[in-house]
């Protein structure tokens, strides 16, 4: 049964470890750690994403700053109940990890596939440069009756296609995980820089239930 849920949410990323793994939480006696991974884009920019890894991987290999790693896993969400940071935390959950050579092929280092259900009305908008965007929140089922809530962005023709999709639509999307900095006003005179994480959609398809 777990394999079926794994097919709904598949991530493959290759990047450089930016931070040492730090303890995050414990589930059923198993400790999990969090580190940051930098994934290059085709442009000169990069996406810096959170990665969650079990301590069981450390028996054979523990990621260190500067290492190049290949990760297969899932993009998961959970609620942050502290007063610090975003309410919804998004992270790549490691299923497989491999240390790679520094000269590993980075031609296509960031891939994600999701098959889920639209759980909020899509929001269509245009940027100051007149780029069309539709924001989609996708609920992706996970084992043990859990779901991951993944923000997605469709562009151009995909944005127009997704604009009027109904809540409950079963949608499959292909794309990449991206990080995006934005500024949020705090009080009257202060502005705070925050980071949003989302899936940038390159292809989408309505699935028959």
């Amino acid at each position: 049964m777990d394999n079926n849920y794994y097919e709904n949410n598949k991530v493959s990323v290759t990047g450089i470890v930016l931070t040492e793994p730090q303890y995050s939480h414990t589930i059923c006696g198993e400790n999990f750690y969090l580190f940051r991974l930098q994934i290059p884009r085709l442009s000169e920019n990069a996406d810096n994403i959170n990665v969650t890894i079990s301590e069981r991987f450390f028996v054979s290999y523990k990621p260190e700053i500067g290492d190049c790693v290949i990760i297969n896993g899932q993009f998961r969400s959970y609620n942050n109940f502290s007063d610090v940071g975003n309410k919804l935390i998004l992270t790549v959950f490691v299923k497989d990890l491999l240390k790679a050579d520094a000269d590993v092929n980075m031609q296509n280092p960031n891939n994600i596939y999701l098959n889920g259900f639209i759980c909020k009305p899509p929001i269509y908008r245009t940027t100051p440069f007149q780029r069309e965007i539709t924001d989609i929140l996708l609920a992706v089922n996970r084992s043990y009756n859990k779901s991951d809530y993944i923000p997605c962005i469709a562009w151009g023709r995909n944005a127009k296609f997704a604009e009027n999709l109904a809540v409950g639509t079963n949608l499959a999307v292909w794309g990449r995980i991206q990080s995006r900095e934005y500024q949020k006003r705090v009080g009257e005179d202060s502005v705070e820089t925050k980071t949003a994480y989302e899936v940038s959609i390159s292809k989408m398809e309505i699935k028959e239930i």
Side-chain angles (χ1 to χ4, degrees):
M1 181 64 70
D2 185 68
N3 287 336
N4 292 332
Y5 287 118
Y6 180 64
E7 293 299 319
N8 290 343
N9 185 337
K10 300 176 71 173
V11 171
S12 177
V13 292
T14 302
I16 304 298
V17 178
L18 290 180
T19 62
E20 296 283 351
Q22 298 291 326
Y23 171 78
S24 173
H25 59 279
T26 300
I27 298 178
C28 298
E30 184 177 359
N31 294 328
F32 291 88
Y33 290 73
L34 193 71
F35 67 90
R36 300 270 287 172
L37 186 74
Q38 184 179 76
I39 307 171
R41 295 186 185 180
L42 295 178
S43 64
E44 294 182 357
N45 297 320
D47 294 296
N48 297 330
I49 65 172
N50 298 311
V51 176
T52 299
I53 185 171
S54 167
E55 63 180 348
R56 296 178 182 177
F57 283 96
F58 299 163
V59 174
S60 57
Y61 167 63
K62 185 176 182 180
E64 297 182 354
I65 294 175
D67 284 354
C68 182
V69 294
I70 301 171
I71 294 172
N72 292 308
Q74 295 182 311
F75 200 34
R76 293 188 177 180
S77 68
Y78 63 92
N79 290 319
N80 178 16
F81 295 104
S82 72
D83 295 328
V84 180
N86 297 328
K87 292 183 179 179
L88 187 68
I89 304 298
L90 294 160
T91 176
V92 171
F93 184 85
V94 177
K95 294 279 189 177
D96 295 296
L97 174 71
L98 176 67
K99 183 179 180 181
D101 295 330
D103 59 352
V104 66
N105 185 356
M106 289 281 194
Q107 186 173 356
N108 197 13
N110 188 340
N111 291 280
I112 183 170
Y113 167 78
L114 300 172
N115 183 345
F117 297 86
I118 296 176
C119 56
K120 288 177 62 177
I123 300 174
Y124 174 84
R125 55 193 171 91
T126 57
T127 71
F129 298 101
Q130 299 305 307
R131 293 195 69 185
E132 296 176 298
I133 298 175
T134 295
D135 297 307
I136 304 167
L137 186 62
L138 209 61
V140 181
N141 291 333
R142 203 200 310 168
S143 53
Y144 304 108
N145 295 318
K146 294 183 179 180
S147 295
D148 294 296
Y149 296 90
I150 311 297
C152 303
I153 291 184
W155 307 83
R157 290 187 302 166
N158 283 335
K160 292 296 292 183
F161 174 77
E163 177 184 6
N164 297 311
L165 292 179
V167 171
T169 299
N170 187 190
L171 192 67
V173 303
W174 293 258
R176 65 178 178 84
I177 301 170
Q178 71 175 19
S179 61
R180 172 177 54 86
E181 288 191 347
Y182 66 97
Q183 292 186 325
K184 181 178 180 180
R185 184 172 295 278
V186 181
E188 295 184 359
D189 304 317
S190 179
V191 174
E192 184 178 354
T193 299
K194 292 179 171 287
T195 303
Y197 304 95
E198 57 220 357
V199 172
S200 178
I201 298 172
S202 59
K203 176 185 173 183
M204 63 170 58
E205 177 182 301
I206 294 178
K207 307 293 285 187
E208 296 295 334
I209 300 177

